[in-house]
Amino acid sequence: MYRIRLHGRGGQGIKTASRILGTALFRSGFEVQDAPRYGAERRGAPIFAYVRADDKVICERGLIHQPNLVVVADETLFDLPAANVLEGLDGRAVLLINSERSAQDWCRQLQLPGQVTVLDGAAVVREAGRVPAGALCVGAAARLLGVVSRRALLQAVAEELAGHDAAAIQTSQQAVSQAYELFAGEAGLVQRLQSGAKKSVTTPPKWVELDCEALPRAAPTITMAATSALVKTGLWRTRRPRIDRALCSRCGLCRTLCPEGGIDLDGEGYPVIDYRYCKGCLLCAAQCPRRAIAVADERTVSPPQPKEGEP
Amino acid sequence: MTRILLTGNAAAAWGARLAAVDYVPAFPITPQTEIIETLAEWIDGGVLDSRLVTLESEHSMLTAAGAAAVTGVRVFSATSSQGLLYGMEMLYNLAGWRAPLVLVNVSRGLSAPITLEPDHNDVLAARDSGFLQLHCATCQEVLDNVLLAYRLAEDARVRLPVLVNLDGFYLSFTREPVAIPEPAAVADFLPPFSDCGLHFRGGQPSSQAVAVLGGGLYSYFRYQVHLAAEQAAAVYAEVAADFERRFGRSYPAVEAYRCKDAELVLVMIGSFATKAKAAIDGLCAAGQRVGLVRPRLLRPFPAAELRRLLGHRKGVAVIDQNLSPGRGGILHTELTAALYGLPQGGPLLVSFVGGLGGRDIAEEEFVQMVEVLRQAVQEGIAPPPRLLFTEEELQQVRRLQDIAHGRSEGKGEGEETS
Amino acid sequence: MSESGPSSHSHLAPGTPLCAGCGGLQALQQLYRVLGDKTVVVNAAGCMTLLSIYPFTPFAGSWLYTAMACAAAGAQGVRDALDIQLAKGRISSAEDLATVVLTGDGSAYGMGLSATSAALDRGLDFLYLCYDNEGYGNTGHQYSSATPRAAHTATSRVSGYAGSKKDLFAIWAAHRPSYVATAIAAEPQDLARKVKKAAALRGPRLLLVLAPCPTGWGFDPALTVKVGQLAVETGIWPLKEYVDGRAVHTKIPRQRTPLAEYLRLQGRFAHLFSPQPDEQRLAELQQAVEDYWQQVTE
Ligand SMILES: Cc1ncc(C[n+]2csc(CCOP(=O)(O)OP(=O)(O)O)c2C)c(N)n1
Ligand code: SF4
Ligand code: SF4
Ligand code: SF4
Ligand SMILES: [Mg+2]
């Protein structure tokens, strides 16, 4: 069986990507299961989807804990422990990262037992046009599996994007196909595991005797104020607004408009962005009357984002 | 303590009055309306220091009731039938909020077809909501159960909403002598409302009824509702004992009538149980060994008590005034589960469904049910569930159908208009 | 808590899971600064329900999630319970809270309208905040009765919504409440003035806030304010208030920007522009705006 997990952020087409891969595998004769997993989070927040494929009926369901391929459409997810990108990666699994950095770089940084390979999605997009990261990754992933033909893949793209205009479908097909080509040398890198090859001896669960507990703890109630501040939504951000104090007139508009309440004023009345929370919507930059807020790619700014996640 | 004639509805209102409820969100529905009208009159007349607000639906009524309870006041409300179902979404919510209020339901059959008279499908639809349930057989019990319900609901070990059920017409509009306890004695029995740390107050942050993500957390909170409901069984026993000590009336979770050496036992809830008692008296006088078991507490389900009372009998007839289409009687199902796997094998169970939409259950029917049970025990095989319906009733239906559709005998459908 | 974040307690704390650039959250931030933590926010099912996900809440005051239909009834219960306790001397006036309902348009214009109308009948002392993102956002942006004509939603994918946006302002005003106002976070001064005014009054009050929704409307989150400003400048979202029995416009866009400029920014109207501009429908939509203002200025 193939057990594939795709990680990305809301808005990167991860659900569509999982469906393209699912359909491509289905068209290639496999029994398939694909599903997205939604949380409460919205655009920009980490999400994932998964695909299973086998040559017989699939009985497993739900999350994949022992993948043989993990696809990461957004490299900033590694900084977010809650995204659990690396869960269950063992020596046999392949990790595909959408990144401009090299595979060696990532190997060194992540210190993983398995194989790491990299798709430079940005380069593909520069050539083929704007296509969601998820779709690009699927082009590469299909080739890594080695069991999906280009024809099946492109048909799957057309099927899953049905309803979009023809030009958009064509652009996607081009980009997906290009990603597929880039991995010709690594075709079949992902090992297919026997469906039965999962551990047959399991450790028994440690069930507990639950007590009837006292209120308010036993009710879905919170008696502390403002606990959401423990959630660092700054980790959603892919682009970063930066205030240039030299240009800023201290009008305070950005502070008023920030939906997150993530801008405060310092002692001199200059706005300060709290990057722990800024989701990178960039409306502050768009609205600043003095154009004092510049936008940088999150990956190019240093020091890197805080390595804290949700508790 | 005075004893006066009261309808079941008035008894419910008296319960609320003696409990000194702070707040009564209301919405009219027959046969419950009299309860809120009575309370409204007392409040307007200054007899009861409370506030009554009529909402625009039972859904809103229950929402306001729950919201007030988790803000920190003692709340009473009442509904029936369609109203209970209209508010169903909020029943589950209120249990999840751990809102300790008392809701009286006056049972009435569910539409369609719409009707006014009682059966228990409405209250049993609320069975899995997390509300505890107390079922009444007399008007006295209605009053007393409301008081017991508040003690139970507000107990820190329970802290769940409680539904007190009485049958429409047979109790709601029926007067019986009811002893009204002294307010001071009730105040002793029922301490002032305590909010167990769930309230809204300036200066104290509190987010209640918060969403959860993930099955683990969800399970924890729902399990807590379940564990609290289970724990309520022991608390109920304690509270009922205290009530008996103070007021002299005994309300075990399960009533056993003439069961001492009974071989055959009828099981029922609600007011028709007293009709069963009358029939049983007759049978016992004729030398039969028949008794009645009546769960008063239906949630938590008194399974252990029922096993104790029924496990060693020869035969048990469950009379369900409800119907789960495609399955049959709901109590029969529950009781079967409770009596399954007893070491001695347990009694033979026979299922009867009757009394839907206020249909009477006649004395001869009780006698016949006992007879069917006796034969089943002799043969060792339970007959298929019996839907109580007589030839005479069918004839009456036919007569009405003929009016509704034209006479059917001897005519093809197309000829009728000629 | 080890760190409390940047907000003082009369602010809404950061760290919520709402979309980046959410126009509804933007409005709520501005509103909460005025209303503060002496509030119980009673919520109906919608995007904002996700503000408080156990164990995280951005509120320093109180919050109660009810269900989709009945936030106004929840507010009734809370208000009454506080009043009862005040009257019976069980709490002090310092412990009192203002009752605020927070729902989306789906609830405010539809499922919750009956409960709201009844709360208005009873003269309930509460402030209703409706963030109007013109659809059932939380379930994936299907159309609601607040969806504007021609907008694509998840349930009007082919030729756009065939109905027209319901006039909730008028429905509220017909109940003769203490206050009704439309507003938008892109006009922060207007919004702040209205919320202060509303907060100072008693009885039923509504702030109906248009909430540009990057996710449901299909635009880049950086454009949330731009889209909001255009909603006002084109005249499709009139800023007005109803007080003392009269409706008054607080901003009259005399030189109105063509509506197409507002529509063009949003994916939900893309079918009006490509492959060819749908001149006829665009003209109809523009005409509806003209008709509205004609009747205002007459
Ligand atoms: C009785 C009921 N039906 C359906 C739902 C599912 N539901 C949850 S949120 C929502 C949409 C609410 O729309 P709106 O009020 O506009 O808020 P938004 O999601 O746009 O913030 C729906 C339909 C529900 N929670 N309850
Ligand atoms: S909007 Fe621009 S000028 Fe105004 S305070 Fe912010 S950064 Fe400074
Ligand atoms: S980009 Fe600007 S407006 Fe958006 S969250 Fe960050 S600081 Fe706030
Ligand atoms: S879907 Fe729209 S309204 Fe809902 S959180 Fe996202 S941006 Fe806000
Ligand atoms: Mg909405």
Side-chain angles (χ1 to χ4, degrees), chain B residues 22 25 27-28 99 101 150 160 163 166 200 232 255 296 305 320 334 361 418:
Chain B
D22 293 307
F27 195 79
L101 51 88
Y150 276 108
L160 284 170
L163 188 155
L166 61 135
F200 292 123
E255 180 191 7
R296 301 178 62 261
E305 189 61 7
D320 270 290
E334 293 227 326
I361 300 180
S418 58

Side-chain angles (χ1 to χ4, degrees), chain A residues 1 12 33 40 44 47 56 63 69 92 111 124 138 141 174 181 257 263 272-273 275 277 285 290-291 299 308-309:
Chain A
M1 182 177 326
Q12 289 179 327
Q33 199 185 73
I47 66 157
K56 51 182 188 286
L63 308 190
L69 172 62
R92 286 175 301 184
Q111 302 279 327
V124 178
V138 153
Q174 257 162 27
E181 278 320 305
L257 292 178
I263 305 183
V272 181
I273 296 175
Y275 292 109
Y277 305 110
R290 304 291 292 263
R291 302 199 175 283
R299 286 169 301 184
E308 316 161 65

Side-chain angles (χ1 to χ4, degrees), chain A residues 16-102:
Chain A
T16 309
S18 69
R19 290 181 152 223
I20 293 173
L21 194 56
T23 299
L25 283 159
F26 184 57
R27 286 188 158 277
S28 310
F30 287 89
E31 293 294 318
V32 165
Q33 199 185 73
D34 64 53
R37 184 52 75 109
Y38 303 105
E41 288 85 0
R42 304 318 182 82
R43 184 190 281 204
I47 66 157
F48 68 95
Y50 52 85
V51 182
R52 288 187 175 88
D54 203 351
D55 40 24
K56 51 182 188 286
V57 171
I58 298 169
C59 295
E60 287 179 19
R61 287 197 183 283
L63 308 190
I64 290 176
H65 298 294
Q66 287 168 306
N68 36 21
L69 172 62
V70 170
V71 179
V72 183
D74 190 315
E75 61 183 283
T76 61
L77 292 176
F78 290 109
D79 297 323
L80 184 51
N84 224 356
V85 174
L86 300 177
E87 192 207 350
L89 277 175
D90 61 14
R92 286 175 301 184
V94 175
L95 175 63
L96 168 68
I97 309 170
N98 176 20
S99 174
E100 287 172 287
R101 288 170 57 194
S102 72

Side-chain angles (χ1 to χ4, degrees), chain A residues 42-43, chain C residues 17-25 47-48 131 133 137-138 141 211-216:
Chain A
R42 304 318 182 82
R43 184 190 281 204
Chain C
L18 273 64
C19 305
C22 173
L25 182 58
C47 286
M48 296 288 177
Y131 61 98
N133 62 6
N138 192 42
H141 218 84
C213 165
T215 311

Side-chain angles (χ1 to χ4, degrees), chain A residues 140-155:
Chain A
R143 199 59 179 273
L144 285 171
L145 298 178
V147 292
V148 175
S149 70
R150 177 207 294 270
R151 211 177 112 88
L153 179 63
L154 296 187
Q155 269 178 351

Side-chain angles (χ1 to χ4, degrees), chain B residues 223-242:
Chain B
Y223 286 158
Q224 285 301 323
V225 170
H226 170 63
L227 293 169
E230 286 202 313
Q231 190 153 288
V235 176
Y236 177 82
E238 219 177 84
V239 169
D242 187 31

Side-chain angles (χ1 to χ4, degrees), chain C residues 16-286:
Chain C
T16 71
L18 273 64
C19 305
C22 173
L25 182 58
Q26 188 182 40
L28 188 63
Q29 277 289 357
Q30 297 179 21
L31 292 164
Y32 206 72
R33 273 180 204 147
V34 177
L35 298 174
D37 61 3
K38 290 288 278 301
T39 45
V40 192
V41 177
V42 185
N43 172 244
C47 286
M48 296 288 177
T49 301
L50 306 180
L51 285 174
S52 295
I53 297 181
Y54 195 89
F56 303 115
T57 182
F59 295 99
S62 293
W63 164 268
L64 177 68
Y65 168 67
T66 55
M68 189 169 165
C70 55
Q76 181 80 44
V78 170
R79 182 68 265 150
D80 285 340
L82 289 167
D83 286 344
I84 288 165
Q85 293 177 90
L86 285 166
K88 293 187 175 178
R90 290 195 225 147
I91 58 171
S92 67
S93 56
E95 291 175 301
D96 192 17
L97 297 161
T99 317
V100 178
V101 163
L102 175 69
T103 84
D105 50 287
S107 190
Y109 287 68
M111 199 187 279
L113 188 51
S114 149
T116 305
S117 173
L120 285 160
D121 301 342
R122 295 186 299 263
L124 177 64
D125 181 24
F126 78 127
L127 174 59
Y128 195 128
L129 303 178
C130 170
Y131 61 98
D132 180 356
N133 62 6
E134 306 193 318
Y136 298 134
N138 192 42
T139 42
H141 218 84
Q142 299 78 17
Y143 66 74
S144 73
S145 51
T147 298
R149 193 173 192 77
H152 265 181
T153 69
T155 42
S156 57
R157 280 193 215 270
V158 179
S159 37
Y161 182 54
S164 300
K165 191 178 177 75
K166 185 149 88 186
D167 189 352
L168 188 64
F169 182 94
I171 292 171
W172 262 73
H175 289 76
R176 312 206 150 272
S178 311
Y179 188 68
V180 188
T182 62
I184 188 159
E187 298 281 350
Q189 273 107 23
D190 183 72
L191 181 89
R193 191 182 63 75
K194 286 171 174 167
V195 64
K196 278 179 195 142
K197 195 161 173 177
L201 292 167
R202 310 215 60 175
R205 292 148 284 158
L206 170 69
L207 277 175
L208 178 55
V209 182
L210 186 69
C213 165
T215 311
W217 297 7
F219 61 82
D220 187 307
L223 296 179
T224 292
V225 176
K226 176 86 188 149
V227 167
Q229 285 164 343
L230 279 169
V232 175
E233 287 161 13
T234 58
I236 195 159
W237 185 248
L239 295 178
K240 52 186 171 181
E241 58 190 356
Y242 166 96
V243 63
D244 298 331
R246 260 170 21 97
V248 183
H249 284 78
T250 55
K251 185 159 185 170
I252 300 183
R254 299 212 184 268
Q255 246 139 39
R256 284 191 293 281
T257 309
L259 184 63
E261 292 193 21
Y262 169 71
L263 304 177
R264 206 191 307 273
L265 287 183
Q266 306 172 47
R268 63 178 173 157
F269 295 113
H271 58 295
L272 299 178
F273 298 96
S274 86
Q276 291 95 26
D278 187 339
E279 301 295 357
Q280 194 191 329
R281 285 181 98 189
L282 286 168
E284 279 168 21
L285 295 173
Q286 181 69 58

Side-chain angles (χ1 to χ4, degrees), chain A:
Chain A
M1 182 177 326
Y2 289 112
R3 299 186 184 91
I4 304 151
R5 218 168 54 215
L6 300 101
H7 295 265
R9 291 179 183 272
Q12 289 179 327
I14 298 302
K15 176 181 167 190
T16 309
S18 69
R19 290 181 152 223
I20 293 173
L21 194 56
T23 299
L25 283 159
F26 184 57
R27 286 188 158 277
S28 310
F30 287 89
E31 293 294 318
V32 165
Q33 199 185 73
D34 64 53
R37 184 52 75 109
Y38 303 105
E41 288 85 0
R42 304 318 182 82
R43 184 190 281 204
I47 66 157
F48 68 95
Y50 52 85
V51 182
R52 288 187 175 88
D54 203 351
D55 40 24
K56 51 182 188 286
V57 171
I58 298 169
C59 295
E60 287 179 19
R61 287 197 183 283
L63 308 190
I64 290 176
H65 298 294
Q66 287 168 306
N68 36 21
L69 172 62
V70 170
V71 179
V72 183
D74 190 315
E75 61 183 283
T76 61
L77 292 176
F78 290 109
D79 297 323
L80 184 51
N84 224 356
V85 174
L86 300 177
E87 192 207 350
L89 277 175
D90 61 14
R92 286 175 301 184
V94 175
L95 175 63
L96 168 68
I97 309 170
N98 176 20
S99 174
E100 287 172 287
R101 288 170 57 194
S102 72
Q104 289 86 332
D105 242 23
W106 281 109
C107 276
R108 219 172 307 125
Q109 182 182 325
L110 298 172
Q111 302 279 327
L112 285 176
Q115 307 178 65
V116 178
T117 181
V118 157
L119 165 73
D120 186 353
V124 178
V125 165
R126 273 194 295 279
E127 238 176 87
R130 236 185 120 71
V131 169
L136 294 178
C137 289
V138 153
R143 199 59 179 273
L144 285 171
L145 298 178
V147 292
V148 175
S149 70
R150 177 207 294 270
R151 211 177 112 88
L153 179 63
L154 296 187
Q155 269 178 351
V157 171
E159 245 176 75
E160 294 305 329
L161 297 186
H164 291 66
D165 61 52
I169 296 176
Q170 219 182 357
T171 312
S172 296
Q173 283 180 324
Q174 257 162 27
V176 168
S177 155
Q178 203 167 326
Y180 185 81
E181 278 320 305
L182 284 172
F183 282 77
E186 290 169 274
L189 186 67
V190 177
Q191 286 174 43
R192 192 158 154 194
L193 297 178
Q194 287 303 305
S195 345
K198 282 205 351 182
K199 276 184 293 178
S200 58
V201 188
T202 59
T203 38
K206 292 179 183 149
W207 285 333
V208 295
E209 294 313 318
L210 261 187
D211 285 330
C212 181
E213 289 167 12
L215 294 166
R217 291 185 92 86
T221 294
I222 305 164
T223 56
M224 298 290 285
T227 47
S228 63
L230 293 166
V231 182
K232 301 303 180 315
T233 48
L235 295 162
W236 300 15
R237 193 175 57 241
T238 54
R239 286 180 300 162
R240 166 181 291 228
R242 281 200 292 198
I243 295 170
D244 184 342
R245 287 166 71 106
L247 296 175
C248 171
S249 69
R250 293 182 273 186
C251 71
L253 184 65
C254 52
R255 175 172 179 269
T256 305
L257 292 178
C258 173
E260 310 309 322
I263 305 183
D264 239 354
L265 301 182
D266 69 8
E268 297 167 64
Y270 284 103
V272 181
I273 296 175
D274 191 334
Y275 292 109
R276 292 174 301 170
Y277 305 110
C278 164
K279 291 176 185 163
C281 70
L282 304 180
L283 68 82
C284 54
Q287 287 305 314
C288 170
R290 304 291 292 263
R291 302 199 175 283
I293 306 181
V295 177
D297 194 306
E298 191 60 35
R299 286 169 301 184
T300 62
V301 292
S302 57
Q305 319 186 28
K307 293 231 168 29
E308 316 161 65
E310 297 168 30

